[in-house]
């Protein structure tokens, strides 16, 4: 699709999407955003694919907004809703597996959690660090985190910007496989092959049924997140924090 997103048909019914923006460490650069949106559009247009695997490269899964993107929101030039990548997996007709072999940071973690199946790495870091910069969460974080991880861990992640290794989350009892980094993708491929054994029509019908409540409630939650951004994102302190803390 683009140089930063590799689209591969592992098998006729299985697609592997590998995010590999090495220059920006898989932050949401324009190239990566466009690549993801084009890839999922192509997947939706197919009548063959049954399952998608979304993964990163080396030690990075996805790292959230770029410094320039965060500053653009601070200055009122953009909103995170301008290009909806956070719910690409949710809105995809067929099941999506997030093989999060590397760090999942901010919106990068949230994008992964919108997948139907999530696999984490023991060594990698997972955090929703919105409040670290002084602004309230976006990307649908306040919708998907409580559903996937429960309210207590969600409050730690969102209010306190908690940072956890996959091994720590495993001890907290999260409901996802947590494996050594080198095993994450292989596990995802095995799972994809099991899913691909099922009839495509039945997979689509069942996924649509299972995620319907999230699809229904998400727009109202996004609207509330945007309203909170309008109250929190434009503070002078936020700009200072973005400049001094980004990447640390």
């Amino acid at each position: 699709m683009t140089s930063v997103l590799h689209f591969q048909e592992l098998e006729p019914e299985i697609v592997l999407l590998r995010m590999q923006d090495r220059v920006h460490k898989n932050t949401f650069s324009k190239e990566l955003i466009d690549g993801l949106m084009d890839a999922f559009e192509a997947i939706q247009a197919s009548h063959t694919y049954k399952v998608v695997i979304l993964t990163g490269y080396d030690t990075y899964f996805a790292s959230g907004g770029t410094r320039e993107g965060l500053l653009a929101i601070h200055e009122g030039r953009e909103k995170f809703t301008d290009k909806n990548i956070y719910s690409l997996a949710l809105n995809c007709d067929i099941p999506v597996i997030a093989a999060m072999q590397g760090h999942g940071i901010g919106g990068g973690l949230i994008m992964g959690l919108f997948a139907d199946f999530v696999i984490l790495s023991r060594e990698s870091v997972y955090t929703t660090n919105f409040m670290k910069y002084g602004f309230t969460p976006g990307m649908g974080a306040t919708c998907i985190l409580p559903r996937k991880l429960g309210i207590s861990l969600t409050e730690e992640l969102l209010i306190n910007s908690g940072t956890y290794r996959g091994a720590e989350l495993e001890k907290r009892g999260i409901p996802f496989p947590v494996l050594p980094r080198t095993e994450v993708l292989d596990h995802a491929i095995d799972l994809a092959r099991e899913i691909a054994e099922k009839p495509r029509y039945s997979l689509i019908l069942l996924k649509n049924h299972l995620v319907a409540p999230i699809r229904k409630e998400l727009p109202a939650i996004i609207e509330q997140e945007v309203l909170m951004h309008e109250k929190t994102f434009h503070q002078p302190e936020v700009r200072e924090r973005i400049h001094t803390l980004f990447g640390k």
Side-chain angles (χ1 to χ4, degrees), residues 101-236:
Q101 89 310 325
H103 308 315
I105 300 170
L109 173 60
I110 300 306
M111 181 178 67
L113 291 180
F114 272 108
D116 304 287
F117 299 88
V118 178
I119 308 164
L120 302 185
S121 155
R122 288 178 185 159
E123 305 95 322
S124 298
V125 167
Y126 303 98
T127 181
T128 51
N129 56 351
F130 307 96
M131 290 286 281
K132 169 184 172 181
Y133 299 107
F135 57 84
T136 48
M139 300 282 292
T142 59
C143 171
I144 202 63
L145 273 168
R147 282 184 166 272
K148 291 294 179 79
L149 299 180
I151 188 62
S152 295
L153 188 52
T154 292
E155 289 181 334
E156 289 181 32
L157 281 161
L158 292 183
I159 295 176
N160 197 38
S161 294
T163 298
Y164 301 88
R165 297 279 178 184
E168 296 174 84
L169 292 173
E170 184 178 30
K171 292 178 181 178
R172 294 291 298 270
I174 64 165
F176 313 132
V178 182
L179 305 172
R181 177 176 293 131
T182 56
E183 298 178 15
V184 170
L185 183 56
D186 287 343
H187 183 83
I189 292 171
D190 288 343
L191 175 59
R193 286 172 175 154
E194 292 178 6
I195 293 170
E197 293 174 356
K198 283 71 175 180
R200 184 174 186 273
Y201 179 73
S202 297
L203 287 171
I204 292 172
L205 202 64
L206 181 55
K207 170 173 177 172
N208 285 339
H209 172 71
L210 291 173
V211 303
I214 305 177
R215 288 175 177 169
K216 182 178 180 179
E217 73 175 0
L218 182 59
I221 292 176
I222 292 295
E223 184 177 337
Q224 290 299 312
E225 290 183 350
V226 170
L227 288 174
M228 287 192 292
H229 272 190
E230 291 175 356
K231 296 176 180 179
T232 63
F233 224 117
H234 308 303
Q235 301 174 87

Side-chain angles (χ1 to χ4, degrees), residues 70-89:
L70 296 180
L71 289 172
I73 297 175
H74 167 74
E75 294 165 5
R77 293 183 284 111
E78 294 181 7
K79 296 179 180 179
F80 72 86
T81 51
D82 289 345
K83 289 192 174 180
N84 177 1
I85 59 168
Y86 51 88
S87 63
L88 286 173

Side-chain angles (χ1 to χ4, degrees), residues 26 28 56 58 93 101 104 143 175 182 220 237:
N26 275 359
F28 293 142
D58 296 348
D93 285 339
Q101 89 310 325
C143 171
T182 56
E237 182 182 356

